[in-house]
Amino acid sequence: MSLPPSQHYDAVVIGAGHNGLILATYLQRAGYRTLLVERDASIGGMTCTHEPMSAGFRHSPHANFLAYQAVTPIMQDLQLRARGLATFEPDIQHGIAFADARPPVLVHRVGHEEGSLRSFARHSARDAATYVDLRKRAATLTPAIRDVLFHPLSSAGIGVHRAAMAQAFGELAEDARLGTRSAAQFIDERFESPEIRTLLYLLAMEFGASLTQAGDDLAFLGFVLWMIGSRQVPIGGMQSFADALHRAALAEGVQITTSAEVGSIRIEAGRVKGIVIAGRFIEAPIVASSIGVERTLLDLPSGGGLGASDRQALAAYRRGSGSTIASQAFALTEAPRYRSARWDADLDRCVQTFIGFDSPESVLLHERELAMGLLPSPRASMRVPSLFDPSLAPAGFHVAGADSHFPDEKALSEEDWQGIAESYNEALLDVWSRAAPNMTRDTVIASHFAIPRSGDRRVLLREGRQYSTSIAGLYLCGTSTYPGGGVHGACAINAFQEITGVQFQ
């Protein structure tokens, strides 16, 4: 650990994941002398890439894609491409492979809807036309989504988004039932093919909509459809994105300290005075945290506590429950060859392929099991990034990743997670081999199960503000703040606006 060279800063940002890096860079650019403190030895947080199995097999266990390039300002503002970030936009973005070798359902990237039309039409010509029409309408929401994501949540912003939806979707947006149905009910009303509905159910869950919660038809129509087909893959894994942010921060003059854990945030008379690292006090009137909200608000403050409204909001937050995502990695002698690919060879080059789901009912069961805190049957979305980026695996080999949903990480003990880590990959491989018979124990050189890190997958909602707290000078900028998870940088940018009063246009 190297301690910061100074004991006085205008602002301290805790946590050098992508939100922490972005906020620190913007603050420094705005004239705030900024210190960024990271507990780990490396930069990146959830946007990391490492080698958990064998040398040369590189895996990104948390974030894997960039999907907000149409709206996020950080690519241009921070010159990330000039700082080494390169991406690949796969033609085949989402798909589902069936164990019984039915034709797959494939979604092509934005602007190439004719490919999605062909794939959907194998199951239903009507559904194909419906999907392409809805996706093209959703594309017109880009300005409104940029506005609603990159400003603190407000009724005015929501109104702008609803007006854009009305213009884009016409009679659908005017339906009096909109906002009263679940995402599954909306999908069932518009699509007849069970195969297509299965994939759309999965994509609704993927992008944060509940299949059964009333009102999430709005989320599906106004956000999920816009997100579908927009992913880019960073060359070199997600670490290359974090590295470009790191270079941007250094270029602006941010002071970065790694292998340094903040011991406390010192509070005097209800106001932040600074932080303590390894017994050393670092003075700063502004402290912004991108780490866990409970640690930030309950564990770190020393010398003062939260106001009543924050205590109530945090209590409600802690009572809430959700699901968590665990990542698996596989070192392979060859890429998967799916049985369903006999109908469409593009399946074998799909950047995200769902396995273990054979019907809409199987997806609904999966969501119910998670809501009840039960361990679901092995199912996952699979990716083989070495198909697009050979640098992620040794020559002639491949690396695959899988994302599987589990109950809230806190609902399971450390012993539970250890038992899952020891057995889950074998069970998932059995499911994978039914869809792709060449995925056998002979094909898998090594595998790894990443026990979920403590991370916020729920948003702490507080009336009138998202980023400031009842302790003057203490701010939040992590995924517990609006708009939540995803590699968009909006949590950081919105926190910057609240800290400085500078508004993004």
Side-chain angles (χ1 to χ4, degrees), residues 141-160:
L141 297 175
T142 296
I145 287 177
R146 180 186 298 115
D147 188 68
V148 80
L149 287 181
F150 290 92
H151 290 91
L153 185 63
S154 68
S155 57
I158 294 171
V160 168

Side-chain angles (χ1 to χ4, degrees), residues 273-421:
K273 291 299 181 180
I275 62 170
V276 176
I277 302 175
R280 180 184 176 189
F281 176 64
I282 309 293
E283 183 180 7
I286 294 170
V287 173
S289 174
S290 66
I291 65 173
V293 63
E294 293 185 56
R295 174 155 173 73
T296 300
L297 297 182
L298 295 179
D299 298 340
L300 290 181
S302 172
L306 297 173
S309 62
D310 276 355
R311 291 198 303 272
Q312 291 170 3
L314 189 57
Y317 176 88
R318 300 181 77 187
R319 288 194 299 270
S321 62
S323 62
T324 192
I325 295 176
S327 176
Q328 302 86 54
F330 297 87
L332 305 174
T333 59
E334 59 184 271
R337 298 191 300 275
Y338 290 100
R339 297 176 66 200
S340 291
R342 64 176 181 157
W343 299 96
D344 191 336
D346 282 343
L347 175 62
D348 286 343
R349 291 190 62 80
C350 182
V351 76
Q352 180 190 41
T353 303
F354 292 96
I355 61 168
F357 300 95
D358 289 318
S359 67
E361 292 73 26
S362 68
V363 187
L364 289 171
L365 174 62
H366 186 66
E367 188 179 69
R368 282 198 302 272
E369 289 173 336
L370 293 171
M372 296 171 64
L374 302 175
L375 287 177
S377 302
R379 303 180 176 101
S381 65
M382 311 299 300
R383 59 187 183 278
V384 187
S386 52
L387 288 169
F388 315 104
D389 181 4
S391 73
L392 296 177
F397 294 86
H398 285 282
V399 63
D403 291 321
S404 301
H405 283 89
F406 287 88
D408 193 307
E409 65 192 61
K410 295 176 183 176
L412 300 171
S413 68
E414 186 175 337
E415 291 75 20
D416 290 335
W417 278 117
Q418 193 57 49
I420 293 168

Side-chain angles (χ1 to χ4, degrees), residues 13 54 86 323 337 436 441 483 499:
V13 178
S54 302
S323 62
R337 298 191 300 275
R441 284 159 180 78
I499 292 168

